[in-house]
Amino acid sequence: MTTAHLTVDRAFTVAEVPHRLFGSFVEHMGRCVYTGIHEPGHPQADSRGFRQDVMQLVRELGPTVVRYPGGNFVSGYRWEDGVGPVEDRPVRIDGAWHTVETNAFGLHEFVDWAREADVEIMEAINLGTRGVEEARALVEYANHPHGTYWSDLRRKNGAATGTTQDPFDIKLWCLGNELDGPWQIGHKTADEYGRLAQESAKAMKLVDPDIELVAVGSSNRRMPTFGSWEHTVLSHTYEEVDYISMHAYYQEHDGDAASFLAEAVDMDAFIDGVVSTIDAVKAAGKHSKQVDISFDEWNVWYQSGLDTEDQPHQVAKGWQKHPRLIEDAYNVTDAVVVGTLLHSLLRHGDRVKIANQAQLVNVIAPIRSEEDGPAWRQSIFWPFARIAAKARGQIMRLAVDSEQVPTQKFGDVDAVDATVTWDEAAGKLVLFVANRGLEEAADVDLNLNGLQATAISSAEVLAVPERGDRLTANLVDSQDAVGLKPLTDVGLQDGRLHMTLPAMSWGVVELDVAAA
């Protein structure tokens, strides 16, 4: 059995838990929109075609902000195609995913869906094939009250479609998507994108000065321009934007589960690198404001290996409407990794203010659904749902003294990965903790300085099920194979928490605490 000793001190905190850290992502890709959140005629659909079984799971998952409509899709998208009477909307090809887009679901429908789901909208604009005027017009269409061409067209379109006519009041906007990537429609150099983003940002804020803007960062840490891209883009846009984006996807390679379970080490380093670049530009430009990070795409995604039959190699399949794309079936190992990635985001909550797990339904998602069939929770649903529900108040600075486990990719890493939040007003301290050990249980204790634990409110763990292995997943015919169970080997002694975590597991323990 491995051991780990964790210590928190009331005096040492990182930041308030950012409300937008628990975001998700809806892209017009595969079956995320069509037969995901929207399926007219489904037995669980309402009069607008919104699947209520999916809606119920979205509310349980608890995302606070949802990015829309892409992703790669947005770099070739005309937002005007998705407004007005549905029967008048054009059907177009989507070059990003080599599919046919019917535009039966568009901006008005998404705004109504988001309001029902009680999530903030994070709207992405097309800076791949379009530019300043289209971006400015969309802000006017969405946010201006009335009395202008675009705002009055919004009111007219809402009346025609039975959707909202009121201003959408979208305050969070992405200035394009992954434009450093050669795969992106409208791919640009850092200088080309930086200037376009700067001028688009200025025009958008002339329409609504209260909006917040996210500049495009590197598509991933392995990009040859990583670092220099951020530096150049921010040198152009620092005064106009509020955030720069980060994207990262992780998967298990060649059965190397130990390295996969340690991928939060990579996320930690990635975030630290981007923070350093932001602050270098701030210092060089003598700026007073602080730009923070929007980690607006992250997840486990098997781009090779497991679940590859529906990978996005669509050209040979011809042009289809909402085909199955990257519908990964997530297992126990994936859930533990997702838990640790959420730990990393929380650890950096002083600078990562927005994060969006990609995507929400079907496409590499915590929620799956079948056309004319059921909707269910994937294994990765559980860490996200619990952290989104329970992480409140202050992120605590956690000291970890853990035995190490060897990995091929990262060397020796802590066997136990954890983070802690403390809600002083509610008197709750929550420990989110993972055991990366593949075979050994972990003996973990948490020492509290300046806080007195009086009771354990709840304790749950996600681990390999009794009848299964680390690759067990929730499938349409076994929807509850993986989930959270009560953690029984846990207790308090002299105000100190002690627990035993099973091998390769993720857990959450909530304590009643008082300031000592």
Side-chain angles (χ1 to χ4, degrees), residues 7-15 394-398 422 449:
T7 304
V8 294
D9 191 300
R10 179 187 178 193
F12 296 100
T13 62
V14 175
Q394 291 287 329
I395 304 163
M396 306 300 288
R397 195 169 299 281
L398 182 65
W422 172 43
N449 293 332

Side-chain angles (χ1 to χ4, degrees), residues 354-381:
I354 306 165
N356 305 82
Q357 187 184 43
Q359 296 181 16
L360 183 60
V361 186
N362 288 328
V363 178
I364 51 172
I367 298 170
R368 285 288 301 274
S369 69
E370 285 296 334
E371 187 173 1
D372 296 324
W376 69 97
R377 307 166 191 85
Q378 296 232 66
S379 68
I380 65 171
F381 180 100

Side-chain angles (χ1 to χ4, degrees), residues 452-458 492 510-513:
Q452 179 64 46
T454 58
I456 298 173
S457 299
S458 63
L492 283 174
E510 184 178 54
L511 303 176
D512 294 330
V513 299

